Amino acid sequence: MPSDVEYSPVGDGLGMRDFWLYVWLRRAALIAAHIVSLGLTLIISVLSRPGTSLFSWHPLCMSVAYCLCMTEGILLFSAEGTIFCFKSRKNKVRFHWLCQALVLIAAAVGLGFILASKTVSELPHLVSWHSLLGFSTLTASLLQAACGICVIFHKQLRLSPSPARLKLYHATCGLVVYLLATVTVILAMFSDWFQATVKGIGWWVFAMLPLSPAMVVMNQITNAYLLRNKMSS
């Protein structure tokens, strides 16, 4: 009988005690990723003080888009389970689509606010590494969304690559987008606004936080497709 449970090949060959320790460590890392993604979004939202300026909405929108929605949309498919009550993969895919749609909407709004803020302040655009990488992340997000559309509507579009190959492309592109977003968030912490708001040890803690969900997401995607390649070989 087919099972809806998703497995990971990592951990094969371990003793029973080591295996369960490994499982609990992975689950702890997953829980930590959820906590960090939500916590980082809430803290940035508070620090940005939305409504005090046009710029204040930019950190809020971008943190909701990439720290929260994109992270949760990916962790939804974790082999260790999910915090959401979805049993079937179809419902997971639908919620994934909702999360990624919110990513694009929130990112577009955040982009609009930063463009308006710089225009009003008569400041130049795309002059920092954060802005350049942020623009690359937004572009990659659009391409990733197009790739996801190809996965869902591959029959209607009559695409030559197989559905399995398209899913591999989609997952790989998704990992690239997420890592780009992670680096962009870290670079934002080098901005004058953030360094003036958070100082000392707190700044270093914030700079390290985005790495936690990034490692979990990277491990989840690579393990899922390592298993698929192992089963097909």
Side-chain angles (χ1 to χ4, degrees):
M1 179 181 294
S3 174
D4 290 333
V5 178
E6 301 175 37
Y7 296 94
S8 170
V10 181
D12 288 353
L14 295 176
M16 186 60 67
R17 180 178 178 181
D18 293 335
F19 172 77
W20 284 112
L21 176 61
Y22 173 77
V23 169
W24 281 109
L25 286 175
R26 282 173 61 91
R27 288 180 178 175
L30 177 64
I31 294 172
H34 285 296
I35 294 174
V36 169
S37 65
L38 178 59
L40 191 59
T41 303
L42 292 175
I43 293 173
I44 291 177
S45 301
V46 172
L47 293 177
S48 64
R49 296 185 299 168
T52 56
S53 65
L54 286 173
F55 170 80
S56 65
W57 293 101
H58 175 71
L60 170 63
C61 293
M62 292 308 189
S63 60
V64 169
Y66 290 101
C67 296
L68 183 61
C69 293
M70 180 167 280
T71 302
E72 295 303 329
I74 296 174
L75 295 181
L76 181 68
F77 297 104
S78 173
E80 277 67 48
T82 174
I83 61 175
F84 302 102
C85 301
F86 295 122
K87 297 292 184 179
S88 69
R89 183 172 180 82
K90 180 181 291 186
N91 289 333
K92 289 183 178 181
V93 170
R94 288 173 178 170
F95 189 72
H96 174 77
W97 266 95
L98 174 61
C99 288
Q100 302 314 308
L102 291 175
V103 169
L104 295 179
I105 294 171
V109 174
L111 175 62
F113 275 114
I114 192 61
L115 290 176
S117 176
K118 285 185 174 290
T119 300
V120 170
S121 303
E122 297 183 350
L123 295 174
H125 301 283
L126 300 176
V127 293
S128 66
W129 283 110
H130 169 69
S131 60
L132 290 171
L133 201 61
F135 180 77
S136 300
T137 303
L138 290 172
T139 303
S141 298
L142 291 173
L143 295 175
Q144 169 65 356
C147 187
I149 292 173
C150 292
V151 172
I152 297 296
F153 301 106
H154 63 276
K155 290 183 179 179
Q156 292 83 347
L157 297 174
R158 299 181 181 179
L159 300 173
S160 55
S162 65
R165 182 64 59 180
L166 287 173
K167 288 180 181 179
L168 176 61
Y169 295 156
H170 182 57
T172 304
C173 291
L175 178 58
V176 172
V177 172
Y178 193 84
L179 294 179
L180 279 173
T182 299
V183 177
T184 303
V185 170
I186 294 175
L187 287 176
M189 298 176 185
F190 288 88
S191 65
D192 294 337
W193 164 74
F194 195 85
Q195 289 186 329
T197 306
V198 181
K199 300 178 181 180
I201 298 178
W203 184 90
W204 288 100
V205 173
F206 271 102
M208 295 295 105
L209 282 179
L211 297 177
S212 171
M215 295 298 293
V216 174
V217 166
M218 183 168 61
N219 184 67
Q220 172 186 320
I221 294 176
T222 53
N223 284 348
Y225 284 92
L226 280 173
L227 173 60
R228 183 167 299 179
N229 292 336
K230 181 178 179 180
M231 293 179 64
S232 60
S233 62

